């Protein structure tokens, strides 16, 4: 929260920029963060399973508290300029936080220079994804310059496990109002919709009373559910507006208003336990 060179900060900080995210083809936060030492975990069911130094991680977005209730889904990596991994206790700067560390997800911002990109990806297990990212100036209205950024993506993929799949529709739109050399207002909305059939791994048989379990002898690809019933839907909406004024190169004042709404539905049938 201060304009201090990273080498002078009393924390271990790794910054994973957009070039690194692209080079590693990271589709989730964990796929990028796993290259940092002391970061483990991850799950096909959601990014919440990340651990830093053995503790559950605290998540921030643009330096603000970010809820971790995103089980069964993942944040869209196309939205982020970088992922910052800060190890160690940070409660003095960021409030209640995990002693292991935190992740700060930094959104891409509107730019005054026009540029656009379109990426198409294909991969194994019928993976298909397209991302459109466009930004630039809208115009100048009096003394106020307005810039925009729009990010849209669509993903459709299956899995090496039978019947497992995910479809995602995503949009992120942002406007920046430059009110002067030292003051700007940035507002953005994000909409994400996921439809998926989840994977729970192989089923167990439990032997009572010792309560010892053993995996059923079924193929690795076995789906322990009913593909006609198992389905999940996650819908997320967020809106953020930030006002920032810079007094000088070392001091600035920032205020943010954030609203988020999430909906999840889940129906499933799977083998949870069996007697001998």
């Amino acid at each position: 929260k201060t304009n201090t060179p990273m080498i002078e900060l009393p924390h271990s900080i790794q910054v994973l920029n957009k070039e690194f995210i692209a080079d590693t083809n990271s589709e989730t936060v964990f796929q990028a963060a796993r290259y940092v030492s002391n970061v483990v975990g991850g799950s096909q069911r959601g990014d919440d399973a990340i651990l830093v130094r053995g503790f559950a991680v605290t998540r921030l977005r643009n330096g603000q508290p970010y809820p971790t209730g995103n089980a069964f889904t993942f944040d869209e990596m196309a939205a982020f300029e970088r992922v910052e991994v800060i190890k160690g206790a940070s409660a003095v700067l960021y409030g209640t936080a995990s002693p292991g560390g935190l992740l700060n997800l930094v959104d891409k911002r509107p730019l005054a220079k026009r540029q656009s990109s379109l990426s198409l990806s294909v991969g194994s297990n019928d993976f298909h994804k397209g991302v459109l990212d466009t930004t630039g100036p809208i115009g100048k209205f009096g003394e106020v310059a307005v810039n925009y950024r729009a990010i849209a993506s669509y993903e459709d993929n299956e899995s090496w496990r039978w019947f497992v799949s995910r479809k995602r529709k995503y949009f992120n739109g942002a406007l920046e109002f430059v009110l002067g050399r030292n003051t700007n207002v940035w507002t953005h909305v994000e909409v994400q919709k996921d439809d998926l059939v989840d994977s729970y791994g192989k089923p167990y048989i439990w032997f009572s009373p010792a309560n010892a379990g053993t995996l059923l002898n079924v193929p690795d690809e076995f789906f322990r559910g009913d593909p006609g019933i198992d389905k999940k839907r996650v819908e997320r909406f967020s809106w953020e507006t930030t006002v920032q004024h810079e007094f000088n190169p070392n001091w600035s004042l920032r205020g943010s208003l954030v609203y988020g709404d999430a909906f999840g539905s889940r129906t499933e049938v799977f083998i949870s336990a069996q007697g001998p």
Side-chain angles (χ1 to χ4, degrees):
K1 293 189 174 181
T2 60
N3 188 20
T4 304
M6 285 178 56
I7 197 171
E8 298 180 11
L9 295 174
H11 274 83
S12 173
I13 301 177
Q14 281 75 40
V15 178
L16 311 176
N17 57 26
K18 62 181 179 181
E19 289 80 13
F20 178 87
I21 294 172
D23 289 345
T24 56
N25 194 31
S26 298
E27 294 293 334
T28 68
V29 173
F30 174 70
Q31 288 181 3
R34 64 182 174 177
Y35 291 94
V36 177
S37 62
N38 302 121
V39 176
V40 297
S43 169
Q44 79 273 14
R45 299 180 65 187
D47 275 338
D48 291 344
I50 297 176
L51 303 177
V52 176
R53 293 181 174 176
F55 294 90
V57 67
T58 297
R59 297 162 69 91
L60 304 176
R61 188 158 182 175
N62 304 312
Q64 304 292 331
Y66 183 49
T68 59
N70 63 335
F72 312 121
T73 187
F74 302 88
D75 289 301
E76 177 53 56
M77 292 297 289
F80 301 135
E81 180 74 18
R82 63 185 185 273
V83 176
E84 300 172 343
V85 183
I86 306 174
K87 300 178 188 176
S90 306
V92 171
L93 290 175
Y94 298 102
T96 303
S98 168
L102 57 85
L103 296 177
N104 183 33
L105 311 177
V106 181
D107 281 279
K108 294 177 180 177
R109 301 287 290 268
L111 302 177
K113 182 179 180 181
R114 192 176 306 278
Q115 60 185 45
S116 299
S117 66
L118 174 64
S119 64
L120 301 174
S121 304
V122 296
S124 56
N125 302 312
D126 285 334
F127 176 85
H128 301 85
K129 184 173 183 178
V131 178
L132 173 64
D133 184 353
T134 179
T135 184
I138 293 179
K140 195 166 184 178
F141 305 90
E143 298 298 321
V144 180
V146 183
N147 305 318
Y148 78 93
R149 187 154 203 158
I151 302 169
S153 72
Y154 176 79
E155 177 183 332
D156 186 355
N157 68 282
E158 297 182 1
S159 169
W160 57 270
R161 179 158 280 141
W162 299 333
F163 309 116
V164 174
S165 64
R166 183 178 72 193
K167 293 184 179 181
R168 165 172 293 179
K169 299 175 182 178
Y170 177 84
F171 175 77
N172 187 319
L175 291 174
E176 180 183 48
F177 302 88
V178 183
L179 306 181
R181 292 182 56 187
N182 302 320
T183 306
N184 64 67
V185 178
W186 174 63
T187 183
H188 85 102
V189 296
E190 180 182 56
V191 180
Q192 175 181 321
K193 294 184 178 180
D194 288 358
D195 291 286
L196 61 155
V197 177
D198 211 348
S199 170
Y200 295 94
K202 290 185 177 182
Y204 276 83
I205 293 180
W206 296 98
F207 297 95
S208 299
N211 203 31
T214 183
L215 285 172
L216 288 178
N217 185 20
V218 294
D220 290 342
E221 300 85 2
F222 181 81
F223 177 74
R224 68 175 200 188
D226 185 334
I229 298 177
D230 280 41
K231 62 181 65 176
K232 297 181 180 67
R233 168 167 289 185
V234 178
E235 299 180 3
R236 301 167 63 192
F237 171 85
S238 66
W239 166 74
E240 177 181 350
T241 296
T242 298
V243 180
Q244 181 167 325
H245 178 76
E246 185 178 285
F247 296 101
N248 56 54
N250 296 317
W251 291 93
S252 64
L253 179 65
R254 184 180 66 173
S256 297
L257 182 63
V258 181
Y259 171 80
D261 186 27
F263 166 81
S265 64
R266 166 183 172 187
T267 59
E268 60 183 285
V269 175
F270 64 92
I271 302 172
S272 60
Q274 285 186 337

